[in-house]
Amino acid sequence: MMFWHRIKAINLWKRRPVQILAAISLLLLSGCAIKLFMPNGSWHYEESHKFEPGDSTQMTAVYSGIGLKPGVYYIELEYAAEYDVAKPVAYTNLQDETVITGGLRTNGEHLYAGANKSGYHMWLYESTEDLQMAVAYGGSGRLEITGYTITETNQFWTMWAVVILFGALVVFCILAYYYYDKEYTVAMEKKQVFFFVTLISLIASLPYLYGSNLSGIDLTYHLLRIEGVKDGFLSGQLPLRIEPEWLFGHGYAAAVFYCNSLLYFPGILRLLGFTVTASYNIYCIAITVATAWIAWYCFRKMFDSINVGIMCSALYTLSTFRIYKLVNTGAVGEGSAVAFMPLVLYGMWRIFTENSKDKKYKTAWLPVAVGYAGLMQTHVLTCEITAFVTLLVCAICVKKVLCRNTFLELAKGALGAVGVSLWFLVPFLDFYLTQNVHIKNLSARTIQSKGMTLAHLAFHFWKNGSYTPNGETGVFDTHPVGVGFVLVLGLGVFAALGFCGAFRGVRGAVKQLGVMSFALGALLLYMSTNDFPWDVVRSMNSVTAALVSSLEFPHRVLGWGSLFLVTVCGFCLWYFMHHNRRHYLAAVTVTVACVITSGLYLIDFVTEGWNRVVVYNEEGMGFGFISDGEYLIEGTDAGRLTFTGALAGEGVTIEDYKKQYLKVSMRCENSKGADSFVELPLLFYRGYNAVDLNTGDRLGVRAGENNVVRVLVPAGFSGNVEVKFVSPIYWRISEIVSAALVIMFLIGKTIRRVRAEKYIGAPHFPGRA
Amino acid sequence: MREYTDNRKKKTELLLYIVVCCVTMVPVASGRIMDGGVIGEWISRIYELSVELQSGHFLLFPSKEAIIEAGMPVFAMNSNLWFLLPAIIYWGLENVTICWQIYMILIQAGTLITSILMFHRLFKRETERICIFFGVIFYMTCPYRIYVCYDLASMSSAVVWLLIPLYVWAAAGITTHGKLKNAAAAALALAGIGYADIVQMLVIAGITVLAALWFRKPLLLASIAAGGLIALPGILRLGRYLFGDTFGALGIPLNSIMESGYVLGEFFSVFVYREGHPGTGLGVLSALVIGLWLCFVKGQWGKNRKNSFFIALSVLLLIFSLKAFPWDFVQRLGVWALKMIPLFRTPAMFFGFAQIGLCVPAACAVGKISRQEEKALAIGLPLMVLAACIALCIYQCNELMSTRLPL
């Protein structure tokens, strides 16, 4: 009997605890639903407060005595401000001494001269009668607060509905497991796997259980990406191409270059009412859990051992590199990519070691395709490094590559990955080839001195550190950019065993895996150090210069380095398991001790030593941070971009100007005899269209001053104009192709499963032919 | 032969107890009082008490001037009883460091003895010997206890941690034997706690009420009443503060304590002393993981009323220690609550009590694993847990000493 049949057979819905759970959940959900259908209130108040220039103030209550019930509200402060610099004039936030600690959650928002309203979200967990709206004025520029609008949203109840649903699901799963185990007895091995992989996930997720974020150097950038997804969805983009609110509402095409398909999950959580910090933490926990399970799955398959799979999962999930990337720096893309790398390794191992005439060999391409697709859609740079590693493996196994079936599987893997990621690749290549973005002009960056020293390899007790390794500071207070001593120890043990001839009697796919991992792991370790001639590689030609420059830090290769070294450790464990039980137990003990004293140690110190930030609403972190501005059109001065309105060229008058995300509508008139223009607060990327709504005619769109969208207004023109970003048709086709491939894959998988279930579950009649 | 083996085992146990006790005394051996925590509070008490003793007086509670001078009015309800010995030592030697060293050595040794008593009563001497041993180790090396003794450096709380095992020993005696002498011992221990820290006494009394309900032993309530009677001066003082205006001049704060509560991740902290938030500790954590593994994977965790009580109690106390627990709502129950809650200083206090509770199932888990058929598990895992406890305790003491300036 198959799993689902068994679940059906235990009649879960007839069990009293399940019925109680369902009743309570439904009751609570109904409460949320009723609240969702009730009309939302909105309150507007007008009263003028003037701030005198030169007289800066601390947080001063401008409106007080505001009474509200618990909920998520959108606060809009209305004002008139003038300031000749692209900086905020003031800052506003809410304060309330009467609610419980943590009962009012918001980071407030800045007031900008180019805008007449500043809005932000606020979470209120207790009714209040004395909410105050306060303003801190910088003392420069003119500022007059004119009023406020508070709008109730549904997000409080959608958020609770999700929490209730999730809680009910967890309790339901526990109950289902309890009854299932009682009825059929779940195998101890399965329990063991679940227990340990969950434990590994929990330990690796600890940094996200602090209710705040560690302020890693990349954190703001990735939080803005998540906010970009949320705002992009609200602006009607699916899939997201241009984050509309980034760069003070000018729109930044990060999504075209840096795929954020996995970030749709935290983006949706944001839409459902979770705070920025909570959404980010939930995502990071999810990706950590996924990493632990994917690693376990791949290593278990490669070593054909549950226990070695668990140990490798622990070594990989709690590896120094992963913690450094995901926790220390908040590099969500690279940290997420780590989850997919074991799939590529497992896929390549299958392709190169399985018997190509076996029936199951025809599915060997799948892990490669899924792994590569995941890499492309999380971190292109890691994907490039993976491609480099794949080329190395293919070069070593060139004889096998030339076999028809093997080549076919490799090609299927590559095509599958490209096909599934086509929706991202087409716009990416389109913009990369046709737009002069800043990232194409970064080949001057050198990385020679940013590598590790050999001493870093022996580091075990990593702490957060203050510096990325560089030639000047050496090992002094560096970030944890190594692999950890345990992996280097594994490399040493492998070398010692090989030197002693211990592997002579070992044959087969696992040995090939071990030897290959040893060689490539050692090479990548070497590449991550200062001793590797990066400058020489860079000076070879323009392609290597661009590649080396885009690498930014040699330690980026340690992602794959760590994976290969974990594989080497796994091989040593596997070898001991089969040849010497005492050695195996000793190796397991050492591994566990090392993981605790290195991985857990690092997590403990990172979470203690770094500044913690709590971001509730996106406005709390601003809209301007773009890291190195890689996806700006070359020559754009991001410092000059701020909230502003439309700028009319000579002879042009603008009326009814309205901007919502990336869509601008206005009434425009050119009374002069010559062509003129209107410049809009939108960063110019190919794809912006301007249409005369009265006639349907298109107006010309060019890059204007500082690369903003400039709409050409012909002489004598008068009409309603709408400007918005429209994805080209071939982008849309690529999306359809990707979606079709995913659907086909899922249907195929389902059909195969149903067939297999039918085959296994078919009644068996003994004696019948 | 069996007698010889038993003797050897006892000697080994004793030796390990002494080693662990010595480990917890490492900061004392530094020869310096580490600056920070609440050292100003007890130093000013010792100074005042010593001066008063020299003039033939004994002040049961510190004077208003001493409280204001120490700048920690939140401790104003605690008595001076347990500072009598340090004050006498200080009177004789006039050296506060030596006074602190002697007192801390006595506290550590005393805690070792009381914890041995406690775990001997909680587990069966013959069949659960290893549980007793590990219980003592967990208690002695508990990061929160080390924090209380050296990081927070609260002499009063250190005495509370010495007396709690004595109280549990007596209270457990009431639940198992029900004899009156146990009730008397419990009352004395509770009163002793009350004279050290009246607020902690109230919390422990509350926990005892829960225990009385759980085990259906009304005699436990009698011990609370008797303990309260013995600690009457402290209770009256607290009552006058909570229900009157007597201590207005001291400036005891009426602040919210929610902000200083724990967050979930801090429960699992192993190596780091966060500001007032030490973690569970590697030893107890790994023992609990072993217990969970035995329960979930092996299905070998039988139902046990005692274990269930300590687990449930710990979970409840852990919830109380959370930043998310709405202490502000509790504070709104009345003026007495508004004054009472700030005396806790921080919800972290409940985390400390939870740690005591967790020592019991953790010790039980190690006991169970040591009875496994597979030798590697039965010997290896308890050894690893022991190593984790001692190593982490040394590590934390080292960290403390190397990061704190001497007074």
Side-chain angles (χ1 to χ4, degrees):
Chain A
M1 219 191 319
M2 297 303 290
F3 176 72
W4 290 112
H5 293 148
R6 284 181 168 190
I7 288 282
K8 269 184 196 169
I10 54 177
N11 286 323
L12 275 173
W13 296 112
K14 288 182 182 167
R15 312 269 179 174
R16 182 56 60 86
V18 177
Q19 287 172 346
I20 293 170
L21 173 73
I24 293 172
S25 311
L26 279 175
L27 196 72
L28 293 172
L29 286 173
S30 311
C32 290
I34 291 167
K35 279 284 183 183
L36 281 174
F37 285 111
M38 279 164 73
N40 288 327
S42 182
W43 302 270
H44 182 73
Y45 184 75
E46 281 180 15
E47 191 186 302
S48 176
H49 288 270
K50 273 189 183 169
F51 288 84
E52 295 303 323
D55 198 6
S56 66
T57 65
Q58 296 293 313
M59 288 301 281
T60 313
V62 284
Y63 302 111
S64 54
I66 303 167
L68 289 174
K69 284 182 179 168
V72 178
Y73 295 89
Y74 188 69
I75 315 290
E76 257 184 332
L77 193 69
E78 288 141 29
Y79 54 89
E82 280 173 22
Y83 198 18
D84 48 5
V85 224
K87 274 183 180 174
V89 184
Y91 165 74
T92 178
N93 203 349
L94 295 164
Q95 51 194 36
D96 194 330
E97 296 288 315
T98 63
V99 293
I100 61 162
T101 310
L104 169 68
R105 296 179 181 194
T106 178
N107 300 107
E109 164 63 320
H110 291 94
L111 312 185
Y112 300 91
N116 53 7
K117 276 178 191 173
S118 282
Y120 56 99
H121 279 92
M122 174 265 281
W123 285 254
L124 184 68
Y125 288 93
E126 192 193 357
S127 292
T128 179
E129 289 299 326
D130 192 27
L131 190 71
Q132 295 180 339
M133 215 171 279
V135 171
Y137 171 56
S140 307
R142 191 183 69 81
L143 176 68
E144 184 186 354
I145 309 291
T146 53
Y148 69 81
T149 307
I150 297 177
T151 314
E152 194 181 7
T153 71
N154 280 329
Q155 289 184 326
F156 195 71
W157 303 107
T158 49
M159 180 178 72
W160 281 114
V162 173
V163 171
I164 292 162
L165 267 175
F166 180 74
L169 192 69
V170 170
V171 179
F172 178 78
C173 288
I174 292 169
L175 288 173
Y177 164 78
Y178 173 75
Y179 291 119
Y180 188 91
D181 189 38
K182 218 170 151 185
E183 198 76 24
Y184 303 107
T185 313
V186 177
M188 201 192 282
E189 280 189 341
K190 284 184 181 171
K191 288 183 184 175
Q192 181 115 324
V193 170
F194 180 80
F195 181 81
F196 282 110
V197 179
T198 306
L199 184 68
I200 293 163
S201 309
L202 173 72
I203 295 172
S205 301
L206 284 180
Y208 307 108
L209 300 178
Y210 283 79
S212 51
N213 298 133
L214 285 168
S215 60
I217 195 160
D218 288 347
L219 179 75
T220 311
Y221 183 76
H222 292 286
L223 290 181
L224 282 168
R225 285 178 67 209
I226 294 172
E227 291 310 302
V229 172
K230 184 203 76 173
D231 294 326
F233 285 169
L234 287 174
S235 73
Q237 293 183 62
L238 189 71
L240 172 71
R241 298 302 183 191
I242 294 182
E243 283 89 341
E245 289 294 285
W246 220 332
L247 287 170
F248 304 98
H250 283 70
Y252 187 47
V256 169
F257 295 96
Y258 200 160
C259 185
N260 45 18
S261 50
L262 289 192
L263 297 186
Y264 285 12
F265 169 57
I268 290 168
L269 287 178
R270 287 283 295 125
L271 287 171
L272 289 167
F274 289 84
T275 60
V276 176
T277 290
S279 308
Y280 176 82
N281 284 345
I282 293 169
Y283 170 74
C284 286
I285 290 172
I287 200 73
T288 302
V289 173
T291 306
W293 278 103
I294 290 172
W296 172 78
Y297 174 80
C298 296
F299 285 112
R300 179 229 173 289
K301 289 277 183 186
M302 287 189 281
F303 293 110
D304 195 24
S305 160
I306 281 174
N307 290 337
V308 175
I310 290 170
M311 298 303 292
C312 289
S313 171
L315 284 170
Y316 188 65
T317 314
L318 289 162
S319 65
T320 309
F321 178 79
R322 206 191 79 89
I323 297 169
Y324 168 59
K325 281 295 166 190
L326 199 58
V327 183
N328 270 59
T329 52
V332 170
E334 210 170 349
S336 305
V338 170
F340 295 96
M341 289 179 343
L343 280 171
V344 177
L345 179 67
Y346 169 55
M348 285 199 292
W349 175 76
R350 280 192 65 187
I351 290 173
F352 286 117
T353 60
E354 273 183 10
N355 184 352
S356 59
K357 282 166 191 161
D358 270 5
K359 204 179 169 187
K360 65 170 186 173
Y361 188 71
K362 285 184 178 170
T363 58
W365 63 277
L366 265 175
V368 173
V370 176
Y372 259 107
L375 288 170
M376 281 178 208
Q377 294 183 37
T378 48
H379 199 242
V380 172
L381 196 54
T382 306
C383 188
E384 285 170 20
I385 296 167
T386 307
F388 166 71
V389 170
T390 310
L391 279 176
L392 281 179
V393 174
C394 289
I396 296 167
C397 307
V398 68
K399 268 188 183 175
K400 284 190 178 169
V401 174
L402 295 175
C403 291
R404 188 176 163 272
N405 285 357
T406 306
F407 184 78
L408 211 63
E409 289 306 305
L410 280 172
K412 271 155 71 179
L415 286 175
V418 169
V420 170
S421 309
L422 209 61
W423 69 276
F424 160 68
L425 290 174
V426 169
F428 171 76
L429 291 173
D430 185 18
F431 265 24
Y432 193 82
L433 297 173
T434 62
Q435 304 267 275
N436 184 22
V437 277
H438 184 54
I439 197 168
K440 288 164 75 174
N441 302 280
L442 285 175
S443 58
R445 215 157 40 182
T446 61
I447 65 167
Q448 184 65 61
S449 63
K450 293 177 183 172
M452 296 193 308
T453 63
L454 284 174
H456 277 103
L457 300 181
F459 268 51
H460 182 71
F461 298 101
W462 289 103
K463 290 188 182 177
N464 27 321
S466 311
Y467 305 101
T468 303
N470 59 64
E472 286 163 20
T473 51
V475 292
F476 171 71
D477 199 20
T478 51
H479 290 311
V481 287
V483 287
F485 182 65
V486 61
L487 297 187
V488 179
L489 185 69
L491 203 69
V493 170
F494 185 94
L497 287 171
F499 183 72
C500 298
F503 304 143
R504 269 181 213 143
V506 183
R507 290 275 177 273
V510 178
K511 187 181 177 182
Q512 289 172 31
L513 176 73
V515 172
M516 183 84 77
S517 300
F518 175 80
L520 292 176
L523 173 69
L524 291 171
L525 265 191
Y526 173 53
M527 285 174 74
S528 70
T529 64
N530 282 332
D531 301 319
F532 187 80
W534 282 111
D535 277 350
V536 176
V537 177
R538 196 181 142 266
S539 59
M540 282 176 181
N541 53 52
S542 60
V543 177
T544 56
L547 285 173
V548 170
S549 175
S550 67
L551 205 56
E552 215 179 341
F553 302 104
H555 64 69
R556 287 201 198 265
V557 298
L558 283 181
W560 268 96
S562 297
L563 180 60
F564 281 130
L565 295 185
V566 169
T567 314
V568 171
C569 286
F571 178 82
C572 292
L573 285 165
W574 174 87
Y575 172 78
F576 289 137
M577 192 174 71
H578 286 92
H579 292 88
N580 190 323
R581 186 158 170 79
R582 272 193 183 176
H583 289 177
Y584 171 65
L585 288 174
V588 169
T589 310
V590 169
T591 309
V592 171
C594 284
V595 166
I596 289 170
T597 53
S598 185
L600 188 55
Y601 185 88
L602 174 60
I603 283 176
D604 222 2
F605 273 94
V606 167
T607 48
E608 198 262 342
W610 277 55
N611 293 331
R612 301 199 143 270
V613 286
V614 186
V615 185
Y616 301 113
N617 50 310
E618 68 176 302
E619 297 84 4
M621 55 186 165
F623 303 96
F625 183 70
I626 45 168
S627 194
D628 288 338
E630 286 94 341
Y631 315 126
L632 280 176
I633 300 293
E634 188 65 5
T636 310
D637 179 2
R640 283 167 55 202
L641 301 175
T642 185
F643 285 112
T644 177
L647 183 78
E650 209 178 330
V652 177
T653 50
I654 302 167
E655 284 171 10
D656 300 334
Y657 170 81
K658 224 185 249 175
K659 179 174 180 288
Q660 198 185 20
Y661 297 111
L662 299 178
K663 194 165 113 181
V664 171
S665 58
M666 60 190 165
R667 187 167 165 70
C668 198
E669 196 173 329
N670 185 356
S671 53
K672 246 194 151 191
D675 290 354
S676 189
F677 62 87
V678 173
E679 283 191 347
L680 301 173
L682 294 169
L683 205 57
F684 179 75
Y685 291 103
R686 214 159 48 79
Y688 277 103
N689 282 346
V691 179
D692 179 354
L693 290 178
N694 304 336
T695 61
D697 292 342
R698 282 193 171 191
L699 302 180
V701 178
R702 303 271 181 280
E705 173 70 21
N706 202 26
N707 288 319
V708 296
V709 168
R710 174 181 283 187
V711 181
L712 302 180
V713 186
F717 175 85
S718 173
N720 294 316
V721 179
E722 188 181 80
V723 184
K724 62 179 178 183
F725 182 82
V726 182
S727 293
I729 186 74
Y730 49 95
W731 290 19
R732 289 291 180 195
I733 293 169
S734 70
E735 289 159 18
I736 292 166
V737 171
S738 290
L741 276 174
V742 172
I743 291 165
M744 271 164 59
F745 171 74
L746 290 175
I747 290 172
K749 194 103 178 132
T750 314
I751 290 172
R752 219 173 299 147
R753 177 164 286 181
V754 169
R755 272 186 195 161
E757 257 182 50
K758 266 188 187 168
Y759 176 71
I760 295 165
H764 178 63
F765 301 104
R768 265 183 148 186
Chain B
M1 184 66 189
R2 197 179 159 187
E3 203 172 296
Y4 170 75
T5 319
D6 272 5
N7 269 341
R8 209 181 60 181
K9 272 186 183 172
K10 277 181 189 167
K11 277 181 185 168
T12 316
E13 270 178 27
L14 186 67
L15 195 74
L16 279 167
Y17 284 149
I18 292 168
V19 167
V20 169
C21 192
C22 290
V23 165
T24 61
M25 287 178 196
V26 167
V28 179
S30 71
R32 297 271 191 280
I33 302 174
M34 288 174 287
D35 203 2
V38 295
I39 58 167
E41 192 260 346
W42 54 261
I43 287 177
S44 75
R45 277 175 187 253
I46 290 172
Y47 285 162
E48 187 190 38
L49 201 56
S50 162
V51 170
E52 290 296 321
L53 283 174
Q54 285 171 44
S55 57
H57 299 117
F58 172 67
L59 284 178
L60 186 57
F61 293 98
S63 67
K64 197 172 92 178
E65 292 73 27
I67 292 167
I68 292 170
E69 192 190 316
M72 301 208 179
V74 78
F75 294 105
M77 297 300 123
N78 299 346
S79 86
N80 277 340
L81 185 69
W82 292 99
F83 291 97
L84 185 61
L85 180 65
I88 292 169
I89 299 169
Y90 183 72
W91 182 9
L93 301 173
E94 292 204 339
N95 185 328
V96 77
T97 306
I98 294 177
C99 165
W100 173 77
Q101 282 177 310
I102 293 171
Y103 199 58
M104 268 304 155
I105 288 169
L106 289 175
I107 282 182
Q108 300 308 327
T111 310
L112 177 68
I113 293 164
T114 56
S115 59
I116 290 172
L117 280 176
M118 172 171 87
F119 287 103
H120 266 269
R121 185 145 280 176
L122 289 175
F123 295 104
K124 286 174 208 144
R125 197 171 298 183
E126 276 71 40
T127 53
E128 298 177 321
R129 205 185 184 95
I130 200 135
C131 301
I132 297 170
F133 174 73
F134 271 92
V136 174
I137 301 293
F138 290 147
Y139 191 83
M140 287 302 289
T141 58
C142 173
Y144 197 88
R145 201 184 75 82
I146 301 294
Y147 156 76
V148 156
C149 291
Y150 301 114
D151 193 9
L152 179 67
S154 166
M155 275 198 179
S156 308
S157 296
V159 171
V160 171
W161 275 75
L162 180 149
L163 291 172
I164 286 175
L166 194 68
Y167 178 67
V168 177
W169 167 75
I174 296 171
T175 59
T176 50
H177 307 99
K179 284 181 183 166
L180 211 62
K181 69 173 183 186
N182 286 319
L188 277 174
L190 189 65
I193 293 169
Y195 279 111
D197 192 320
I198 194 76
V199 176
Q200 297 200 41
M201 176 197 151
L202 291 181
V203 175
I204 291 165
I207 292 170
T208 313
V209 173
L210 291 178
L213 293 170
W214 186 281
F215 294 106
R216 295 186 196 121
K217 295 283 177 189
L219 199 56
L220 281 169
L221 302 177
S223 72
I224 300 174
L229 214 61
I230 302 168
L232 199 61
I235 290 175
L236 284 177
R237 187 178 165 86
L238 181 67
R240 275 187 290 141
Y241 168 62
L242 296 182
F243 303 103
D245 299 323
T246 321
F247 299 98
L250 292 181
I252 301 173
L254 300 175
N255 58 316
S256 161
I257 61 163
M258 274 177 75
E259 196 57 50
S260 53
Y262 269 77
V263 290
L264 203 56
E266 286 173 334
F267 288 169
F268 304 96
S269 171
V270 166
F271 297 94
V272 180
Y273 273 115
R274 288 180 167 78
E275 222 175 315
H277 289 176
T280 304
L282 192 56
V284 172
L285 261 184
S286 44
L288 290 173
V289 168
I290 290 170
L292 273 172
W293 180 73
L294 283 171
C295 171
F296 178 75
V297 181
K298 294 252 176 182
Q300 289 180 3
W301 194 267
K303 277 183 185 169
N304 178 322
R305 206 168 166 75
K306 174 186 66 193
N307 264 338
S308 306
F309 171 72
F310 281 107
I311 292 169
L313 177 69
S314 302
V315 171
L316 182 72
L317 292 169
L318 287 176
I319 293 169
F320 285 166
S321 74
L322 281 173
K323 201 177 191 172
F325 187 81
W327 285 110
D328 286 5
F329 282 138
V330 180
Q331 243 173 320
R332 288 179 195 169
L333 290 175
V335 179
W336 64 271
L338 181 72
K339 289 178 176 179
M340 174 84 186
I341 302 299
L343 294 181
F344 291 166
R345 290 184 65 240
T346 157
M349 181 181 74
F350 294 97
F351 179 80
F353 291 135
Q355 294 310 297
I356 301 172
L358 286 176
C359 287
V360 179
C364 197
V366 180
K368 275 203 190 314
I369 200 79
S370 69
R371 289 193 288 275
Q372 295 291 306
E373 279 176 14
E374 204 178 336
K375 285 275 177 242
L377 287 181
I379 299 168
L381 284 179
L383 277 178
M384 279 179 83
V385 172
L386 180 66
C389 283
I390 296 176
L392 254 291
C393 190
I394 293 174
Y395 176 84
Q396 290 187 322
C397 289
N398 288 354
E399 276 284 299
L400 264 178
M401 288 187 292
S402 64
T403 53
R404 296 277 282 270
L405 286 168
L407 184 68

